[in-house]
Amino acid sequence: MIPLPHPRRVLSIQSHVVYGYVGNKAATFPLQVLGYDVDPVNAVQFSNHTGYPGRTGELLKPNEMESLVNGLEGNGMLQEYTHVLTGYIGRASCLAVIADLVQRLKRINPNVIFVLDPVMGDNDKLYVHPDLVPVYRDTLCPLADMITPNAYEAELLTSIRATNTTTALQAIDALHALHIPTVIITSVHLSDHAHKYPNTRHLHLIASYRPLAKTDPTARGKPVLFSIAFPEKEGVFTGTGDMATALLLAYLGNEDVPVAGSHGEEVGPEDLIKIEGYLKTACEKAVAAVQSVLEETISAREAWGAVGMTGGGRQAGEGEEVKDVKTLASFWKRRELAVVQSKRHYEEPVVRYKAEDVRLHFR
């Protein structure tokens, strides 16, 4: 385990599934392995994720979320939190409760770090009600110290479709303009880099740090700005974004990078160099760990296929449309992340894909 200089406690508000690994189920164990106390609030409690042919469960109501917060406050627990992490929520009214909670926590401790994963959709598919989008943009984003959208979620928040480096940086600028110091687009296809990888399809993580974004979103100075290219694994998986955000929080946690300078204090050249190093290292580790988890998952799937499947149904290949209920359920079972089996990858990630500075001449 990585030793931490003082206690870290995360209030993690996102989805929960009984079976499988998305939301809090994908985020909690990696954070705990890395030395964080995690208190999950299950904004959604389902039997399984929605890719399966059926699911049962309920969304947390805003009054129920408020009741949980009041219980924590009544027992003097709110002041213990160093981080707030949010993922899939499901109700716009619950986002308003979260906004109030974050403001309350920051009044108690201005250095509480709010990490916002605006889980709304992926691959041009919106899987929340459209009324959540403006609440994320106008209410939660200005409170966030770090945001981790995928390319589609960045587009929903900024109306800028990131398809190459130029448009991705335009989207990042627009997110900084929402008063967010640290912006990390966790996965985006960049068409202007495709020629570098003729035989494989690659994704990019793009990270940007602008310390004065909280107090002056137009301030530029010399930003921290870099990208990490990594191969896209064949197949479809769920929970990788939830895990990636949790790992970014954990690997950055020792240095308080997302909050440094966000209250208007000066960040000198030496501080900026340190922050750049911390942020690059954290992003490299997070990419490495998630890639290794996917490799563990794929290996487990292949082993499962070698010994046969439980529950009946035939095996479905990647890219094949699955309609049979038993086959669809088995398809998703074999793609649940190998979260527990990957413990060593969180503790000692093997970095294979390095951060590269992004050129600014076209901005």
Side-chain angles (χ1 to χ4, degrees), residues 22 39 41 70 85 114 118 198 213-215 236 247 279 321 335 360:
V22 298
D39 295 338
V41 174
N70 291 336
L85 169 63
F114 175 30
K214 276 286 187 221
T215 53
V236 57
L247 289 168
L279 189 57
E321 184 179 3
R335 286 155 180 81
L360 298 174

Side-chain angles (χ1 to χ4, degrees), residues 295-314:
E295 288 161 7
E296 289 280 354
T297 303
I298 292 167
S299 295
R301 182 181 74 198
E302 292 171 348
W304 190 351
V307 300
M309 302 187 320
T310 61
R314 64 179 181 81

Side-chain angles (χ1 to χ4, degrees), residues 64 67 95 101 134 141 145 206-207 217 259 279 306 309 342 346:
E64 294 170 335
S67 177
L95 292 181
L101 169 62
C141 282
D145 299 296
I206 305 181
V259 82
L279 189 57
M309 302 187 320
S342 299
Y346 317 136

Side-chain angles (χ1 to χ4, degrees), residues 188-258:
V188 56
H189 290 109
L190 299 179
S191 59
D192 53 326
H193 286 258
H195 66 281
K196 298 179 181 179
Y197 317 103
N199 299 318
T200 56
R201 186 173 166 88
H202 273 61
L203 290 165
H204 283 75
L205 174 151
I206 305 181
S208 176
Y209 174 70
R210 194 169 296 165
L212 295 181
K214 276 286 187 221
T215 53
D216 182 6
T218 64
R220 290 192 174 253
K222 182 183 182 299
V224 172
L225 182 62
F226 60 87
S227 68
I228 302 173
F230 54 95
E232 183 176 11
K233 299 295 184 185
E234 183 180 357
V236 57
F237 304 91
T238 57
T240 52
D242 307 320
M243 177 180 286
T245 297
L247 289 168
L248 286 165
L249 183 160
Y251 294 138
L252 283 167
N254 278 344
E255 312 302 338
D256 290 343
V257 172

Side-chain angles (χ1 to χ4, degrees), residues 60-251:
L60 195 67
K61 297 179 178 65
N63 63 303
E64 294 170 335
M65 185 178 288
E66 287 176 343
S67 177
L68 293 173
V69 172
N70 291 336
L72 294 170
E73 184 177 41
N75 287 295
M77 296 168 180
L78 290 184
Q79 58 262 41
E80 295 185 26
Y81 292 108
T82 57
H83 297 75
V84 179
L85 169 63
T86 62
Y88 181 87
I89 302 302
R91 293 182 189 269
S93 52
C94 284
L95 292 181
V97 175
I98 292 170
D100 179 73
L101 169 62
V102 171
Q103 292 176 87
R104 198 184 315 183
L105 289 172
K106 284 183 175 286
R107 285 195 295 269
I108 297 170
N109 175 12
N111 290 321
V112 166
I113 296 173
F114 175 30
V115 178
L116 172 62
D117 184 4
V119 180
M120 295 181 286
D122 199 6
N123 297 318
D124 294 331
K125 181 180 179 181
L126 183 70
Y127 43 68
V128 298
H129 194 280
D131 66 0
L132 271 75
V133 178
V135 183
Y136 269 114
R137 183 188 62 238
D138 302 333
T139 304
L140 282 189
C141 282
L143 299 173
D145 299 296
M146 180 167 77
I147 191 169
T148 60
N150 59 37
Y152 179 57
E153 290 159 348
E155 179 183 350
L156 290 171
L157 294 171
T158 66
S159 300
I160 298 171
R161 188 174 182 83
T163 57
N164 54 40
T165 304
T166 300
T167 52
L169 296 189
Q170 289 171 351
I172 285 173
D173 278 348
L175 289 169
H176 280 309
L178 296 174
H179 301 268
I180 310 172
T182 302
V183 176
I184 302 175
I185 298 181
T186 55
S187 58
V188 56
H189 290 109
L190 299 179
S191 59
D192 53 326
H193 286 258
H195 66 281
K196 298 179 181 179
Y197 317 103
N199 299 318
T200 56
R201 186 173 166 88
H202 273 61
L203 290 165
H204 283 75
L205 174 151
I206 305 181
S208 176
Y209 174 70
R210 194 169 296 165
L212 295 181
K214 276 286 187 221
T215 53
D216 182 6
T218 64
R220 290 192 174 253
K222 182 183 182 299
V224 172
L225 182 62
F226 60 87
S227 68
I228 302 173
F230 54 95
E232 183 176 11
K233 299 295 184 185
E234 183 180 357
V236 57
F237 304 91
T238 57
T240 52
D242 307 320
M243 177 180 286
T245 297
L247 289 168
L248 286 165
L249 183 160
Y251 294 138

